[in-house]
Amino acid sequence: MVIFEESKRGRRGVQLPESGVPESELDVEDHLIRPEEEPGLPEVTEPQVVRHFIRLSRLNYSVDTGFYPLGSCTMKYNPKVHEFIVAAPHFTHLHPYQRQEDVQGALRLMYELQEVLCEITGMDAFTLQPAAGAHGELTGMLMVRKFFEVRGENNRRKVLIPDSAHGTNPASAVMAGFEVVEIKSGEDGLVDLNELRKNVGGDTAALMLTNPNTLGLFEKEILEISEMIHDAGALLYYDGANLNAIMGYARPGDMGFDIVHLNLHKTFSTPHGMGGPGSGPVGVKAFLKEFLPVPVIVKDGERYRMDYDLKHSIGKVRSFYANFTVLLKAYAYILSMGGEGLKRVSQLAVLNANYLKTLLSRRYKLKYDHPCMHEFVLDNEWLTKNLGVKTLDIAKRLLDKGFHAPTIYFPLIVHEAMMVEPTETETKDTLDAFARAMFEILDEAERAPEHLKEAPLTTPVSRFDEVAASRHPEVAYRRKEVAGS
Ligand SMILES: *Cc1c(COP(=O)(O)O)cnc(C)c1O
């Protein structure tokens, strides 16, 4: 339903006073004169507008309405106080073309955020420019490329990426002009050092690694991995989209990583999803500082300014000051949590994940049954084999039970994967309720597996024909003709 369908001639939401401006005698060129016909706007009353949009908002599932255990995506509750802070007029009324002298406060906040991100990650310099995680990866990979160009090592064309990696990793490497070499994970879900050794060499530019990886497992041999990559003259790249597993406990900089990207919109208090504004700052070790995109925010004495003068900069990757309000929310979050608070975030994220994993493992099967970090992966292949019930069916049935489904069919190395990330902001009661729902579904699967194929039954739209939807997508809404409109 679109609001145009509610339109009836003559209905009004607002009454504007008559214009008090006299008509102009000026000779105005024809094409500048407003056309006679009215713009095609809907004619509706104020209550209609309110009801329309409230109704639409209720069709959405969100972190503010329920549990959202989407693995890898970190859909956690973010304190509303940070929204109030960024909505203050002294921030929202800033203009990107204002003189740097007049926006010293904003520059200072960005400078301090760069500093604090260095501290959290163990890196030496940060750019706040990239607008998302994938954008940060691309920025990082372009820096890797430039670094080897400057050194005259143009033969380094390969980027190694474990098969458990997020899909954006290989995409970013390819966009930056590299060839991707997939590294097979070992039986334990971790990087197989022998596989890595076989593939690393004089043509390797970098290894892109997520730690903990997307299976929620910490790469224990990270120091050996780091040594192997550096001995080969290559760089080590850290996908830090999900820092809430290790904040305050371990730093990628100390593990030997040369470049890091963070997803402020996952770990640091920005609600995301539906393509909303993100931020993927990239941190580097000192020897890569000159390669950062411009501008970086620097401090000269008591003044802050944007520095465009970096010797080997890859150039600009984003307009103006990047997603300033996302940066601001992240900084407000970091300050309000404090060092101990951020550590507590990691503790609770890992505790919640392990609690839920242990509960579910009473009746579900785990692909890798070790203690996990912030997320874990169920493997439902046994259900598919025994009862014909797929992970997709369980995910759809969860919607009927009032929960958002976890991430499914990712990582790709687990065929009937269900990747659960409860996050640090959920109570034990919520986790228990989710586990109960999962067990109810299992009971239903045992009783009448064919019913699960029909789920969801209670949502605004029921099961899609996903094949038809992807083969013949019909993305335009066909408006109903409304009488008298
Ligand atoms: C979300 C995510 C990304 C990509 O971040 P976007 O902001 O969605 O581009 C990359 N890697 C991992 C591990 C992620 O979870």
Side-chain angles (χ1 to χ4, degrees), residues 464-475:
F464 288 127
D465 179 345
E466 303 206 349
V467 177
S470 72
R471 298 268 158 81
H472 311 284
E474 205 175 297
V475 290

Side-chain angles (χ1 to χ4, degrees), residues 16 32 43 120 125 137 220 250 272 315 322 327 343 402 404 434 470:
L16 297 177
L32 295 177
E43 298 184 60
I120 290 171
E137 292 168 25
K220 286 175 291 194
H272 70 288
L327 302 175
K343 215 168 157 174
H404 195 285
F434 178 75
S470 72

